[in-house]
């Protein structure tokens, strides 16, 4: 008799758990009403009114966000990729050297983390990133370190390339 009672209680407990899980997943999609008395669509206001005490710290005008810049790979332009930790920067930096379709693709050799990315008409780099030049300006250099370091590193690389016989 005790065995029958325990089986019955187990079935009831499993049924209650199943119903609770079912209600949590299916219930919000149904219009069963909400505890606050408002409809479900009113509670999901995607654009709530802004906090009147919030002060915008940074302002980016629309014309700045929508501006287009011409990048001349055959000229003197250089892309400096600022790698920021925990933002997908490693994936994007690797994508720049491996997957972008270029006239002269970057030369990535197996087993090496660095790739050589030369301009189509000469042996100068057009990309300054961790995957093309390594950690030339230090580990995880920030904006100020890069602006002070990049011109000198590029000058050294160009002068070294000019000294090697072709």
């Amino acid at each position: 008799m005790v065995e029958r009672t325990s089986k019955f209680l187990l079935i009831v407990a499993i049924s209650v758990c199943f119903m609770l899980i079912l209600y949590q997943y299916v219930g919000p999609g149904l219009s069963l009403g909400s505890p606050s008395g408002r409809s479900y669509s009113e509670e999901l206001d995607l654009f709530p009114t802004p906090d009147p005490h919030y002060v915008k710290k940074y302002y980016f005008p629309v014309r700045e966000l929508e501006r287009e810049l011409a990048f001349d790979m055959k000229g003197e332009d250089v892309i400096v990729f600022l790698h920021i930790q925990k933002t997908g920067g490693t994936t994007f930096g690797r994508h720049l050297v491996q997957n972008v379709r270029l006239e002269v693709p970057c030369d990535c050799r197996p087993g090496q983390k660095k790739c050589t990315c030369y301009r189509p008409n000469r042996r100068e780099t057009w990309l300054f990133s961790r995957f093309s030049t390594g950690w030339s300006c230090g580990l995880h250099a920030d904006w100020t370190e890069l602006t002070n370091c990049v011109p000198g590193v590029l000058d050294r690389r160009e002068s070294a390339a000019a000294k090697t016989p072709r």
Side-chain angles (χ1 to χ4, degrees):
M1 189 73 163
V2 174
E3 187 176 311
R4 237 191 215 173
T5 307
S6 63
K7 281 185 183 180
F8 178 73
L9 288 176
L10 182 65
I11 291 172
V12 169
I14 290 174
S15 301
V16 168
C17 289
F18 177 74
M19 294 303 284
L20 284 173
I21 292 171
L22 186 67
Y23 177 74
Q24 286 179 341
Y25 284 102
V26 178
L30 302 174
S31 58
L32 300 174
S34 67
S36 64
R38 296 184 297 181
S39 70
Y40 184 70
S41 61
E42 290 175 3
E43 287 184 7
L44 285 180
D45 188 11
L46 296 177
F47 301 104
T49 56
D51 182 10
H53 303 290
Y54 175 74
V55 178
K56 259 188 179 176
K57 189 173 182 179
Y58 302 108
Y59 174 71
F60 298 105
V62 174
R63 63 181 169 78
E64 279 294 315
L65 295 173
E66 293 180 349
R67 71 181 170 151
E68 292 184 18
L69 299 173
F71 177 72
D72 184 18
M73 184 179 289
K74 294 180 180 179
E76 298 294 321
D77 295 346
V78 175
I79 293 177
V80 178
F81 178 67
L82 173 63
H83 178 242
I84 301 173
Q85 296 181 55
K86 306 295 182 196
T87 59
T90 301
T91 304
F92 184 73
R94 193 176 301 120
H95 170 71
L96 276 175
V97 296
Q98 292 178 352
N99 303 329
V100 176
R101 292 183 188 161
L102 302 168
E103 189 176 326
V104 177
C106 294
D107 181 27
C108 300
R109 299 201 172 137
Q112 289 186 335
K113 290 187 179 181
K114 286 193 329 182
C115 301
T116 52
C117 299
Y118 290 129
R119 297 181 188 276
N121 52 358
R122 57 190 186 272
R123 292 180 58 87
E124 291 178 3
T125 185
W126 60 269
L127 175 66
F128 189 93
S129 77
R130 154 185 158 183
F131 288 104
S132 63
T133 58
W135 297 108
S136 304
C137 294
L139 187 66
H140 296 295
D142 63 1
W143 175 256
T144 53
E145 290 171 327
L146 283 175
T147 53
N148 293 331
C149 169
V150 169
V153 170
L154 288 177
D155 288 341
R156 282 195 306 266
R157 292 180 131 246
E158 288 173 11
S159 64
K163 289 179 185 176
T164 59
R166 294 186 182 176

